[in-house]
Amino acid sequence: VANSLTSVNEPILNYSKYYKFGLYFVLTLGVSNIFLNYILISSHGLVGAAMATCLAYVIYNGIKLVFLFWVYKMHPFSKGVVAILGLSLIAILVQYPVQYIPSPFLRVPLNGLVVLVVLVLPSIVFKLSPEFNGLLKVVFDKIPIFGPSLKSWITKYI
């Protein structure tokens, strides 16, 4: 996720006069990946390797993001995207205790309800991101169970 969110940083850095810093950032990626693998594989096994790689990429992309903001005063996030990322984090935190519900017939709908209430509805009502609302409009247009009144409400807010 971190790599796809900040992927535009790579060509900006590579085609700028600061392209040499890319080597240092890749070295940081490699060293942090080795170090985190050493720590996390011993305690978490195969999942630790995945966690180490994920954390190494978050560190790598975070460093590039901070560097490009420091040098060019630019970043790839709009206020709406930051708000949606924040709501996503809140939804993950709210969903965490739901995973301990033993019945999947109760757990799955509750997870969907949390995502709907915490992420989707505020995104629609407050129009946080035109891209996200456009994606939701495409999804809602393809679902045949919505009646005309619900589709008009959704179209009004999206």
Side-chain angles (χ1 to χ4, degrees):
V1 172
N3 202 24
S4 60
L5 283 174
T6 60
S7 63
V8 72
N9 290 344
E10 192 76 29
I12 292 172
L13 183 63
N14 288 340
Y15 291 112
S16 73
K17 64 182 180 180
Y18 301 103
Y19 68 93
K20 293 178 184 175
F21 285 93
L23 173 66
Y24 302 125
F25 299 150
V26 169
L27 288 174
T28 303
L29 171 67
V31 169
S32 63
N33 198 8
I34 291 169
F35 176 73
L36 289 169
N37 270 309
Y38 180 75
I39 292 172
L40 294 174
I41 288 177
S42 62
S43 60
H44 296 288
L46 187 60
V47 173
M51 289 169 40
T53 302
C54 179
L55 280 170
Y57 267 103
V58 167
I59 291 167
Y60 169 66
N61 285 303
I63 290 171
K64 285 193 307 184
L65 183 72
V66 169
F67 179 78
L68 288 176
F69 184 74
W70 179 59
V71 170
Y72 292 114
K73 304 291 186 252
M74 60 188 283
H75 60 84
F77 303 121
S78 66
K79 290 179 184 176
V81 170
V82 171
I84 288 176
L85 288 173
L87 288 173
S88 300
L89 181 63
I90 292 169
I92 289 170
L93 293 174
V94 171
Q95 282 180 325
Y96 186 75
V98 174
Q99 72 178 336
Y100 294 109
I101 296 173
S103 170
F105 297 108
L106 188 57
R107 188 174 56 239
V108 171
L110 277 176
N111 278 329
L113 185 65
V114 166
V115 170
L116 180 69
V117 170
V118 175
L119 179 64
V120 176
L121 288 179
S123 299
I124 292 172
V125 172
F126 297 117
K127 297 183 180 179
L128 296 177
S129 171
E131 297 87 8
F132 187 70
N133 283 3
L135 176 66
L136 289 175
K137 184 173 178 2
V138 168
V139 168
F140 285 130
D141 282 344
K142 294 199 182 273
I143 299 175
I145 61 170
F146 293 126
S149 60
L150 187 58
K151 277 192 179 186
S152 67
W153 181 85
I154 291 170
T155 306
K156 174 183 169 186
Y157 282 104
I158 296 179

